Every structure is written in C-alpha cells, then in structure tokens.
Amino acid sequence: GLIDTIIAANEKGKIKIRKIDDNTARNVEILIHLMPGVSPDTTIDALYAFTDCEISISPNSCVIDNGRPRFVGVKEMLRISTHNTVALLKRELEIRLNELVENLLFASLEKIFIEKRIYRDIEECKTWEAVIEAIDTGLTPYKPQFYRIITTDDILRLTEIRIKRISKFNSYKADELMRSLEVEIEEVKNHLAHLIDFAIYYFQNIRKKYGKDRDRKTEIRNFDNIEATMVAAATLKLYVNRAEGFAGTSLKKDEFVGDCSDIDDIIIFREDGTFIVTRVVDKVFIGENVQHIDIFKKNDERTIYNMAYQDGRSGAAYVKRFAVIGITRDKEYTLTKGKPGSKVLYFTANPNGESEVVKIFLKPKPKLKKLVFDFDFGELAIKGRSSLGNILSKYPVRKIIQEEKGLSTLGARSIWYDDTVKRLNADQRGILLGEFKEDDKILTVMRSGYYRLMNFDLSNHFEEDMLLLEKFKPNKPLSAVYYNAEKSTYFLKRFLVEATDKKTDFIGEEKGSILVAVSSDWLPVLLIRFDEKLNKKPLDNEEVNVSEFIDIMGFRAKGKRLSNYAIKRVELLEPLPFEEPEIELPAEEPDVEEVLLEEEADSTPWSEETDNFPRAEKPVGDDPDDIQMTLEF
C-alpha cells in the first residue's frame, strides 16, 4: 500500500524518515517521523514525487453508442452530454409552449362561452348531438381569432363546466389569467430564440436547485510539477580526484565535493576551458585538470561564473561572466575560442551572481610599465556561455588572485504567489509579491490568530487558513480586529510585526477568541454594524479610521475595545490614500583610486562557423602615459 511505497523510497535514499506509524482507524492517518534537520516542506514534495501519495490515472472511458461500445475522452463525453442536454431543454420548452398556447385557447373559449351566454342555446336541445351543434354554431363568429380549428373535444370540455363556475365567473380575473399566459408564452419563445443562453443559465442553477446539503467533500486544487532532483534527499556524498580526472560516490579517500542524490547531475569545468554535465555515478572519468566541480541545478539563472582565460598558448587574456542554463547531458562545451593551448587563468562560481575584484599580475616584458593592476568583474555584463568576452590584457598573465569579494550584481528577485497551488514561483504566475533580496521575508497571517515570517524559498508550503500574504516591511503596522472571549466583546489592536521565524500568536490564548479581520494597509478603515436585537436602541453603522482610533503598540497588548455597544459584524472598507515613505539609502562615497579600464570589446557570441573575433582597442593596464612601474621577478 501507500506505507510500503514510503518505506521503499526511504530505503532507496529518496527521502529521510526516522520511522512511520499507521494510526488509521475510521479515517486514514499515517504519521511520519523525520530525521533531525530534515525540512518538512521538502519531505512533503518528495512524498509526492517518489511515493504513491499522488498517482496519475488516465481513464479509458467506454460508452454504449447506438448499441456499440465507443471509447471517448472526458472532453468529448462532456461535449456529447451538453449537446444532449440542450436538445432536451429545447424539447421541454416546446412542450411547455404548446401547453401554454392550449391553456390560453381554452381560457378564451371559456370566456366567450360564458360571456356570450352560449350555454343558453343548449336549453331546448333534446339530443347530445344537438347540444354539440348548438355550441359549435354559437362559437362560429369567434373561430377566426383562434390559432387552430376548434374541435369536438374542445366543445366537450365546455360542456363539463359546472353551473357554480358559470354563476361566479369573473371577467376581470379571466383577463388577468389570459395576460399571464401570454407573458409566459413570450418568455418561453424568448428562451427558444436564445437556447444556448438558457442552457448556460440552466447549468448555473443546478447547484442552487439541487445542491442543498450536498456540498463538495473534496477540495479542487491544481498541483505544481515537482522536480524530483529538487526534493530528493541528499543521502550520497560526491568525491573528486582532480589529478587522475575521476569523480563519483565511491571515491571516499579523495576530495569531498558535497552531498547529492543518485538522480542529480554534476557540472565539471576543466583547465582547458571546456565543461561537461553528467550523471552522478559510483565512478566516472571527467577529464584531467578539473578547475571546478559541483552539483548542477537545471535552469539556474542565479549561479554566475566569473572566468578569465588565455586564448591559445600566447594569445590575449579575456574575461567573461556567464550562466549555464540549457545543456545536453554528456556533451562537451567550449568556453574559449578553442585554440590549442588555451587555458583558464581564473574561475569562480557565484550562487547569487556575486562579482569580485581581482589583482592581475603580468609577466615581465621590456617596455611594459604596469605589471600589476586590479579588475572588477562587476563592470562586465552577464552574457551567454558562448560569448567571447572582453580583452583583459594583450600581454601574458602570470597569475590572478582574488582581492575582494563583491556583492550580487543580479539585483532583487521577483517572486509571485499562485493561490491555485498555494506556492511561490518566479514564473510570473499569480500575484506579484515584490522584489526580494537575500534577507527579505514574507509575512503570513493565519485565521487562527497568529503570524509567521518565512523566507522566499520556492519550496515553501503555506497554511490552508491563510488570510494575508505579502512582502514583510518592518516599519509597516498590522491592524487586527478580534473577538475576545474573556471580555465577550470586540477589540482592535495595531502593532509592528516582530522579526522572528517562529509562529507568533497575537490575539491571546483565551479559548473562544477569534480573529475577525486583519489589514496591512497604512490607513485602514472599518465599518461597524451594530446588533439591533441586543442594543436597547437602533444605531447607525459607524466608520472607524484605525490610525486615529488607536496608536501602534506591542503585539502582546490586548488593544482597545471597539465599541461599548453590541456588534453584529465588522467589515474592512477601502483604506485611505497614503504615500508610502521612501527608505533613504546612504550616499555612495567616491572611489579613492580610479582604475583605468579598457573599452569593452564587442561580445558577439562565438560560433564554430566564423573566425571573426572582435578586439578591444586598448587592453587594461597598458597605458603608455602611466609612470608607475612595478617589477617582480
């Protein structure tokens, strides 16, 4: 069953659990105990990815059509069912129209029969045939106004009218009945003329008509596609032997790279300027002189590689910044021009696009005045991995060392919240929460009366009873209306959210206290509706400007009583206009030393089909007017 698939996933190292308890009684309840330090959110995703917690079922629907079996999809089945329903609705309307027309005809006959005293013509008749003939003769002057021929059955219905009904006949009521029939006839004709609109209205009202006490027991939710490599437990360890050019999980005596799973990929950069992506295995040859090795994250646009390389054995030195996104596994890629003897002079991997300042040492050469200079990778634009890069120096480089680690050059990350799946994403699905940097948090407020600050990890899960979710701003107050069970009345409080990762209760622990409304607007407005039954006198609705009613206080404070009268309901209105204060950033100090940089070379991506490489007019650090001279031997 389900438990067996969970145990199997644990044994294969896909998830990390300590033990599993089956507490199923009337309802299914499986309790999973996690290992210390294991994320519950990641484990939930892993359960959906590697166990039978979620099973995709593709039904093969078969129906009997004209006495024969027919396999159809759900969409086709719904289309056929809908067309059949429309046809039935049309037939029902036609039947109803015919009934109304017949009722109108008989009402008209009855009115003529009584008002024109045709029933008196049958008093002298001695046979039944004479009675029928007398009534038919009396109706003859009025027959042209009817839509069809008056039959013997119509005349027989007139003979069945009782004397009591004739004596109490009310012409006005008869006219009212006929007018109502005419109105309904026009309505039915309109439905027939607009049959599709009528069918839509019919479907919309099915739930109202038949849905009482038949509420849905399940929840309609969409699910994100869970990427297995992102949620698999890292139960293996990756090692590398740079000298011999091997990597794998079995090389336990060699250099440790990091934790991984058996479905991960690894990326390897070599000193000759090539790289490759391959699967994690026990042992695989990855090439000699490994410059960098790490777990590869698919479609990772945040990891930026800073690189300096020499073009050929004696060519110019180039610098470039790039990301690795779309690749083919086990295919070798070249990051240089591909000339024999090319080699990587400097290489770093930056998880959040950090820049850095490096110090370049050139090889001594006659008439070369400046042998040492700095270069800031932050001056380079991030481009594709096949781009040529910019010329760092036309002269041979002896070594490059990192002098200063820089900040991220990628800026803040845009995060959206998709309410249909209740997950964060960076794919522009749902509501834009804002631009997030490393230390930014997300504020969530729950209906149960607590708030929590979370990071913007896309794997986060959110509570079902969430009332508010937005980017956390420390200086922005939170306003909350809650029913205090101890005082049996409504309270209003306004407070600043305390920066903590723990769940924080802000309405008190009294049993029966309920959060009624919460707002993160700067100037919220409340509408109070008073209870007419409990108050001694009727009271008009009252609007409350929250910022004027109460000051900002601590989140533990009880707050201020909203009213001395009995309150029926509290609603949030449109907030008052407010211009959010801008945060003043410290002024940037000018650099003490100005570093002369080259003019950027055209970074047209290099391809194997062309050998036209752009060149910078002037390399960094080779200014003939610079009188500084540094010699190193």
Side-chain angles (χ1 to χ4, degrees):
L2 174 61
I3 294 179
D4 293 334
T5 65
I6 297 175
I7 294 173
N10 181 59
E11 291 174 349
K12 293 178 181 178
K14 306 296 186 184
I15 58 177
K16 286 183 179 180
I17 64 174
R18 183 162 55 88
K19 67 174 183 176
I20 183 169
D21 295 331
D22 185 4
N23 297 334
T24 300
R26 180 177 180 180
N27 298 318
V28 176
E29 182 180 339
I30 298 174
L31 183 62
I32 298 176
H33 301 265
L34 301 180
M35 300 288 286
V38 175
S39 167
D41 287 345
T42 303
T43 303
I44 291 172
D45 285 344
L47 288 171
Y48 280 102
F50 301 115
T51 72
D52 287 348
C53 286
E54 180 183 4
I55 302 175
S56 298
I57 300 176
S58 300
N60 196 8
S61 304
C62 181
V63 297
I64 303 301
D65 185 11
N66 294 326
R68 295 181 179 182
R70 178 185 172 190
F71 292 93
V72 294
V74 175
K75 288 185 179 180
E76 178 67 12
M77 193 181 298
L78 287 174
R79 187 186 66 81
I80 295 172
S81 175
T82 304
H83 281 304
N84 290 338
T85 301
V86 172
L88 289 173
L89 290 174
K90 181 181 179 182
R91 184 60 184 147
E92 287 181 357
L93 289 172
E94 291 172 343
I95 293 171
R96 179 57 180 163
L97 179 61
N98 183 67
E99 291 175 349
L100 291 172
V101 171
E102 287 296 305
N103 290 340
L104 180 61
L105 181 141
F106 185 75
S108 301
L109 282 176
E110 185 183 76
K111 182 181 179 182
I112 293 171
F113 180 72
I114 297 174
E115 283 187 344
K116 304 303 179 181
R117 301 180 186 276
I118 295 176
Y119 57 86
R120 289 186 175 182
D121 296 341
I122 66 175
E123 292 176 356
E124 301 298 330
C125 297
K126 296 182 179 180
T127 63
W128 183 249
E129 289 77 8
V131 169
I132 299 299
E133 184 178 352
I135 296 174
D136 184 60
T137 303
L139 292 174
T140 299
Y142 310 101
K143 287 182 178 180
Q145 68 183 14
F146 298 109
Y147 81 98
R148 66 170 174 83
I149 298 174
I150 304 303
T151 64
T152 303
D153 290 337
D154 298 327
I155 295 174
L156 290 175
R157 285 186 64 186
L158 291 175
T159 61
E160 295 173 358
I161 298 176
R162 297 182 178 182
I163 298 298
K164 185 178 181 180
R165 177 172 175 77
I166 294 175
S167 62
K168 291 186 177 183
F169 180 75
N170 188 319
S171 178
Y172 177 77
K173 288 185 177 180
D175 290 338
E176 284 292 317
L177 173 62
M178 292 170 64
R179 276 194 291 270
S180 66
L181 289 172
E182 289 173 350
V183 170
E184 190 172 353
I185 287 172
E186 291 302 318
E187 183 180 354
V188 173
K189 287 182 177 179
N190 182 66
H191 290 334
L192 283 169
H194 304 86
L195 186 60
I196 300 302
D197 294 334
F198 176 76
I200 294 173
Y201 175 81
Y202 167 80
F203 281 116
Q204 290 174 340
N205 283 271
I206 286 179
R207 184 177 179 182
K208 293 180 181 179
K209 190 174 181 180
Y210 302 104
K212 187 178 180 181
D213 300 327
R214 290 179 173 86
D215 295 330
R216 176 181 286 275
K217 303 300 182 181
T218 56
E219 180 183 1
I220 300 176
R221 282 273 299 276
N222 294 324
F223 291 90
D224 268 342
N225 291 326
I226 299 173
E227 192 172 339
T229 55
M230 298 296 291
V231 297
T235 56
L236 303 176
K237 297 185 182 298
L238 178 65
Y239 303 89
V240 61
N241 187 323
R242 297 177 186 268
E244 298 179 3
F246 285 94
T249 57
S250 62
L251 309 178
K252 298 183 179 180
K253 295 182 179 180
D254 295 308
E255 178 187 342
F256 174 67
V257 176
D259 295 326
C260 64
S261 69
D262 59 354
I263 61 174
D264 278 332
D265 290 321
I266 55 176
I267 186 168
I268 304 101
F269 294 89
R270 308 188 188 100
E271 191 178 329
D272 61 358
T274 60
F275 80 92
I276 191 173
V277 174
T278 188
R279 282 282 194 192
V280 169
V281 293
D282 292 342
K283 184 177 181 180
V284 62
F285 181 72
I286 58 175
E288 298 178 356
N289 301 319
V290 175
Q291 190 83 20
H292 176 76
I293 180 172
D294 203 353
I295 307 301
F296 178 67
K297 299 177 182 178
K298 188 178 180 182
N299 297 324
D300 181 12
E301 298 179 351
R302 303 291 294 184
T303 299
I304 303 300
Y305 301 98
N306 299 338
M307 170 181 165
Y309 70 92
Q310 180 178 302
D311 179 30
R313 291 184 176 84
S314 59
Y318 286 80
V319 284
K320 61 190 292 185
R321 301 186 75 202
F322 61 95
V324 176
I325 303 174
I327 54 92
T328 302
R329 189 182 291 114
D330 296 324
K331 177 182 177 181
E332 189 173 278
Y333 294 88
T334 302
L335 297 170
T336 66
K337 295 181 184 181
K339 290 183 180 180
S342 298
K343 67 176 181 178
V344 176
L345 302 172
Y346 179 84
F347 188 93
T348 58
N350 305 279
N352 198 35
E354 293 84 357
S355 65
E356 53 206 333
V357 178
V358 294
K359 187 176 288 293
I360 293 91
F361 297 85
L362 301 179
K363 293 181 179 180
K365 193 174 183 180
K367 298 183 180 181
L368 182 59
K369 298 179 180 180
K370 191 173 184 179
L371 297 177
V372 181
F373 61 93
D374 292 342
F375 175 73
D376 186 358
F377 273 94
E379 301 291 335
L380 285 177
I382 300 171
K383 299 188 178 179
R385 63 171 184 268
S386 60
S387 64
L388 172 65
N390 289 19
I391 296 178
L392 177 66
S393 176
K394 293 180 179 179
Y395 300 104
V397 176
R398 184 164 63 88
K399 67 176 179 178
I400 301 176
I401 62 173
Q402 185 182 105
E403 190 172 62
E404 179 184 337
K405 188 70 174 176
L407 300 175
S408 174
T409 57
L410 297 180
R413 189 179 190 187
S414 297
I415 298 296
W416 282 261
Y417 175 71
D418 189 349
D419 188 56
T420 59
V421 297
K422 299 191 182 302
R423 298 287 289 270
L424 301 176
N425 69 87
D427 304 325
Q428 303 184 17
R429 290 184 287 107
I431 302 170
L432 177 63
L433 299 181
E435 305 291 328
F436 286 77
K437 296 181 180 179
E438 295 181 11
D439 297 331
D440 287 334
K441 299 288 185 180
I442 291 176
L443 170 65
T444 59
V445 180
M446 310 305 160
R447 193 180 299 275
S448 50
Y450 69 85
Y451 70 80
R452 184 180 181 185
L453 295 179
M454 307 177 68
N455 59 29
F456 55 95
D457 189 336
L458 301 185
S459 64
N460 283 340
H461 286 251
F462 296 93
E463 303 287 346
E464 294 293 333
D465 66 338
M466 189 167 57
L467 285 177
L468 178 69
L469 182 145
E470 64 177 35
K471 183 179 178 181
F472 171 58
K473 297 179 180 179
N475 62 329
K476 192 176 183 181
L478 200 64
S479 304
V481 178
Y482 70 99
Y483 178 78
N484 186 288
E486 182 183 1
K487 301 292 184 180
S488 299
T489 188
Y490 290 84
F491 278 80
L492 172 64
K493 62 190 299 184
R494 200 160 187 249
F495 59 94
L496 293 178
V497 173
E498 187 176 284
T500 175
D501 293 336
K502 297 181 180 179
K503 290 183 179 180
T504 304
D505 187 352
F506 60 88
I507 67 171
E509 298 179 356
E510 294 87 356
K511 187 177 180 180
S513 294
I514 303 172
L515 179 62
V516 176
V518 63
S519 172
S520 62
D521 294 307
W522 291 94
L523 299 176
V525 178
L526 301 175
L527 177 65
I528 302 176
R529 298 184 185 274
F530 295 99
D531 196 326
E532 297 180 357
K533 296 180 180 179
L534 299 180
N535 293 308
K536 295 181 179 179
K537 58 180 180 179
L539 298 171
D540 295 332
N541 297 336
E542 181 181 343
E543 289 190 8
V544 175
N545 185 335
V546 174
S547 62
E548 295 178 354
F549 185 83
I550 189 172
D551 294 328
I552 295 176
M553 55 185 65
F555 75 91
R556 292 186 180 89
K558 184 170 290 186
K560 185 177 180 180
R561 186 190 295 265
L562 200 54
S563 177
N564 293 323
Y565 297 101
I567 296 175
K568 183 179 181 181
R569 189 166 65 251
V570 179
E571 301 173 5
L572 282 171
L573 300 179
E574 285 292 323
L576 298 175
F578 181 79
E579 204 168 309
E580 189 173 343
E582 295 183 0
I583 300 175
E584 295 185 2
L585 298 175
E588 294 185 1
E589 298 182 0
D591 295 335
V592 177
E593 179 183 357
E594 181 179 359
V595 180
L596 296 177
L597 298 179
E598 63 177 347
E599 292 180 9
E600 286 193 354
D602 181 10
S603 48
T604 305
W606 168 77
S607 65
E608 297 178 357
E609 289 79 11
T610 178
D611 194 29
N612 298 321
F613 301 105
R615 296 289 188 270
E617 296 179 358
K618 177 180 167 185
V620 176
D622 301 328
D623 189 351
D625 297 326
D626 194 338
I627 60 173
Q628 179 182 357
M629 182 175 181
T630 305
L631 298 178
E632 291 193 10
F633 298 96

